[in-house]
Amino acid sequence: MNIKVPDLPADIPTIKVIELADNLAKKSVLLEHKTVAAGFDGFIDTLVKVIKMKEAEQPPSIFSTIGEFGQYIVDKKGASLSLEMEEQSVKLGGNMPIMANAMGQLGVTVHCIGALGYPHQHPIFEIFPSNCKRYSFANPGHTTAFEFSDGKIMMGNMGELNKSGWQVIKERIGLNQIAAVYKQSDLVCMLNWSEIDASTNIWKGFITEVVNIQGNQRNNKSVFFDLADCSKRSDKKIEEAIGLVQEFAKHTKVILSLNRNEAGIIHRILFGQVSDKTIAGLGEAIFSKMGIDIIVVHAAKEAAVFNAGHSVYYKSFYIPNPKISTGAGDNFNAGFCAAVLLQLPADQSLILANAVSGYYVREGRSATLPEIVSFLHQCSNAL
């Protein structure tokens, strides 16, 4: 079945998309010489649809949106209910594995430090491309992801992850190995702080025993942060995580990526009030307060980036009926990190991030760089 190429967002000039595609075609070999270190989670994801109704000899009716599903549950209050799930797939999961896999597909060498199985790595992670090097310190957690056309609901069981802090990582991987990976990496990705109880302990250990050994002056590293959904974390814990991001900024270039929900939480913590700002307004306010190098805020239909010289806002390559939504943000982040490694300007970085995410939700898999180039050309010709 042919899947319709998404329309080019009206606010993105066609010439910019063509320029990016040509730029990527010329620079593709550069990504093969870039190295990233990423950590520290790891999950096995079971993707499901929730069945709304069944009739004999007919395909089941599926809950289409989160709102529809939520209202169904609310309407059953005061009574019991039973729901049936239809399994779509079982795949590697977690911010680090999904993002690392996406960067690996784009050609980057990625050192993956995470919960990939211990003492033996789980076979589900063998799908990683050969340029993804794996270092595991714990068994993966398990997530059931309820997929809808407008998003997903993820229910996680952390397992060993919540108990596997910095000391466990050092003992099972080795401080010298971690320091060597950091030294040779052009970019470090610190991912999924929110879901793992031990994240703050890991970040503190990493900055104290790995980053600080490079000296007190700012080095040429870039560190990319994705807190993930911190709704369940206390304000005090979130403030501590923000402080650690700012501490990293004393030593390295820092990039913070947030989705719309996360940006709202961080804005409330920083300014002491709930905001109804747009993602552009949230990003601008957070950037002005944080004192870091780059802020990215993204949602299904739009994204914005802020740095010292530019602010860019674009609509996304929106896919109304996604083949998969779990991992869309991680693929967005992978595309943005590829742009950072290629030193692309802010506008091209945002277009590339949106394209990598758009391809993923349309096709149900992460793209290679030639596939992204083709995707961009297709979108620019769709007008």
Side-chain angles (χ1 to χ4, degrees):
M1 181 178 67
N2 292 324
I3 303 174
K4 183 182 181 296
V5 175
D7 293 331
L8 184 66
D11 60 344
I12 302 179
T14 306
I15 187 64
K16 285 189 175 291
V17 177
I18 296 173
E19 286 176 353
L20 173 59
D22 292 343
N23 204 2
L24 292 175
K26 293 174 184 176
K27 291 186 172 184
S28 60
V29 68
L30 295 179
L31 283 182
E32 297 175 8
H33 299 285
K34 298 296 184 179
T35 302
V36 169
F40 293 93
D41 68 348
F43 288 84
I44 298 171
D45 283 355
T46 302
L47 277 54
V48 302
K49 301 283 189 181
V50 185
I51 293 174
K52 181 179 181 180
M53 185 176 295
K54 277 183 170 181
E55 292 187 17
E57 300 180 359
Q58 296 292 328
S61 172
I62 303 295
F63 283 102
S64 176
T65 67
I66 293 176
E68 180 188 18
F69 178 56
Q71 189 59 53
Y72 178 86
I73 294 174
V74 170
D75 290 344
K76 301 293 183 181
K77 65 183 179 182
S80 299
L81 71 154
S82 175
L83 293 166
E84 181 180 352
M85 299 181 297
E86 185 177 88
E87 185 176 297
Q88 305 294 297
S89 64
V90 179
K91 56 185 283 295
L92 64 80
N95 294 145
M96 184 280 287
I98 296 175
M99 186 175 168
N101 180 65
M103 286 191 288
Q105 296 291 349
L106 292 172
V108 181
T109 296
V110 188
H111 293 275
C112 311
I113 304 173
L116 310 177
Y118 192 86
H120 304 292
Q121 293 189 24
H122 195 284
I124 203 164
F125 297 104
E126 292 175 1
I127 194 175
F128 275 128
S130 60
N131 54 348
C132 290
K133 317 300 181 183
R134 292 171 284 169
Y135 310 82
S136 184
F137 58 85
N139 286 314
H142 292 265
T143 298
T144 301
F146 300 82
E147 296 241 317
F148 303 92
S149 62
D150 60 344
K152 72 265 185 184
I153 300 172
M154 305 184 73
M155 306 290 285
N157 183 336
M158 303 301 118
E160 294 180 10
L161 270 168
N162 280 341
K163 302 175 183 178
S164 301
W166 179 243
Q167 188 62 36
V168 171
I169 294 174
K170 285 198 302 178
E171 290 174 355
R172 294 184 173 179
I173 297 176
L175 182 59
N176 290 339
Q177 178 67 73
I178 299 168
V181 166
Y182 174 79
K183 186 175 182 180
Q184 63 184 283
S185 296
D186 302 291
L187 173 72
V188 177
C189 297
M190 310 286 283
L191 309 172
N192 205 355
W193 170 82
S194 299
E195 283 196 299
I196 304 167
D197 290 353
S199 288
T200 299
N201 173 262
I202 294 170
W203 286 17
K204 285 180 177 179
F206 192 88
I207 195 170
T208 301
E209 298 191 52
V210 178
V211 177
N212 278 354
I213 63 173
Q214 308 296 318
N216 291 324
Q217 292 188 341
R218 252 189 159 211
N219 57 47
N220 61 356
K221 303 288 185 188
S222 292
V223 181
F224 179 94
F225 290 90
D226 181 6
L227 299 179
D229 182 8
C230 40
S231 302
K232 70 178 182 181
R233 292 293 198 122
S234 69
D235 289 1
K236 181 178 179 181
K237 290 296 185 182
I238 297 171
E239 288 172 357
E240 188 175 16
I242 292 172
L244 283 171
V245 172
Q246 293 171 316
E247 181 66 25
F248 270 87
K250 296 176 183 178
H251 306 279
T252 68
K253 179 179 180 180
V254 164
I255 305 156
L256 176 62
S257 179
L258 304 163
N259 68 22
R260 175 62 180 82
N261 171 52
E262 295 151 13
I265 294 171
I266 299 304
H267 184 279
R268 179 180 60 77
I269 296 295
L270 291 175
F271 294 94
Q273 59 185 14
V274 176
S275 173
D276 59 357
K277 292 178 183 288
T278 64
I279 67 165
L282 288 170
E284 183 176 23
I286 294 169
F287 179 75
S288 70
K289 190 82 168 180
M290 286 281 292
I292 60 178
D293 298 89
I294 299 174
I295 291 281
V296 188
V297 185
H298 58 94
K301 296 183 179 181
E302 56 188 347
V305 59
F306 303 85
N307 61 32
H310 297 88
S311 63
V312 180
Y313 167 89
Y314 283 144
K315 296 289 186 180
S316 68
F317 296 92
Y318 180 64
I319 311 296
N321 295 299
K323 184 174 288 187
I324 186 173
S325 60
T326 302
D330 300 314
N331 276 263
F332 176 95
N333 288 337
F336 193 88
C337 285
V340 169
L341 293 170
L342 292 173
Q343 298 182 330
L344 298 181
D347 56 348
Q348 291 193 11
S349 299
L350 201 57
I351 296 170
L352 178 56
N354 278 327
V356 172
S357 180
Y359 186 99
Y360 173 79
V361 299
R362 187 187 76 162
E363 300 292 338
R365 62 177 179 84
S366 296
T368 64
L369 200 63
E371 288 172 330
I372 290 299
V373 172
S374 176
F375 179 84
L376 291 168
H377 280 305
Q378 290 172 24
C379 292
S380 64
N381 291 330
L383 295 178

